[in-house]
Amino acid sequence: LLPADVQAQWLKSALAASTAPWKLVFLHHPPYSSGTGHGSETDVQWPFEAWGASAVIAGHDHTYERILRDDNGDGAVMPYFVNGLGGRERHGFPANGFVQGSAARYAASFGAMRLAATSTRLHFEFHSIANGGTLVDSYSLGIAAPIDLTLEVNGSQPASRLQSTAGPYAIALDMDPGSVDHSLLWAVGF
């Protein structure tokens, strides 16, 4: 299959026409995979990011892998997930030579992904069945409005003023009131 094929053109049109905040593409064969069972499927390495996809989720390789790629060169990465640990034999990974952008890999036990979505946040989690359900990996996408944040130290005048720009992530800063050195706690909000 090539990006010009009928199926690819249908997907491109559907993604362009969608007004959904999150556009997920589900495939059987993974466009990118470091797994030793099957590996990457070059036939479906379509320009998903340029077409407007938020994430791609595939199976086929019996592993879990999160791959972050910037295929359209805009500086923002898009996640590709391989989620094939649903219950058949497990595949592995090579000792090195992972695909470009491979950020998380797991094949020690079976498991499943959990997705939670709002209009401004999409959160992915992979849980193994080990120990009754162990969180192995998590990743979030977000749409943030600009924020204006003022920091005060010990109730005094603002120590610093921060402003984000609209973008995929918002960062919240909170003072730790129990800390003697009043160090900042960073919390990434989505």
Side-chain angles (χ1 to χ4, degrees), residues 15 25 46-56 69-80:
L15 289 169
V25 175
W46 300 342
F48 298 107
E49 185 181 10
W51 291 351
S54 303
V56 174
R69 298 183 55 92
D70 179 15
D71 290 331
N72 67 357
D74 67 354
V77 297
M78 187 186 80
Y80 289 79

Side-chain angles (χ1 to χ4, degrees), residues 56-178:
V56 174
I57 301 173
H60 198 50
D61 254 331
H62 298 182
T63 61
Y64 169 79
E65 186 171 17
R66 176 171 44 90
I67 301 155
L68 304 176
R69 298 183 55 92
D70 179 15
D71 290 331
N72 67 357
D74 67 354
V77 297
M78 187 186 80
Y80 289 79
F81 296 92
V82 178
N83 179 24
L85 287 175
R88 199 161 175 188
E89 77 275 354
R90 291 173 286 140
H91 299 161
F93 294 102
N96 54 38
F98 307 118
V99 297
Q100 178 187 357
S102 180
R105 293 170 300 282
Y106 180 79
S109 186
F110 299 110
M113 284 185 79
R114 178 181 180 270
L115 279 65
T118 68
S119 61
T120 59
R121 181 174 182 249
L122 177 58
H123 185 71
F124 304 85
E125 293 180 348
F126 181 81
H127 294 263
S128 81
I129 62 170
N131 300 317
T134 303
L135 177 64
V136 172
D137 185 44
S138 66
Y139 186 77
S140 291
L141 296 172
I143 302 169
I147 59 170
D148 191 2
L149 181 64
T150 301
L151 299 178
E152 296 183 12
V153 179
N154 294 331
S156 64
Q157 295 297 323
S160 179
R161 189 169 183 84
L162 302 173
Q163 183 173 358
S164 80
T165 59
Y169 305 104
I171 297 180
L173 302 174
D174 295 312
M175 294 300 291
D176 179 1

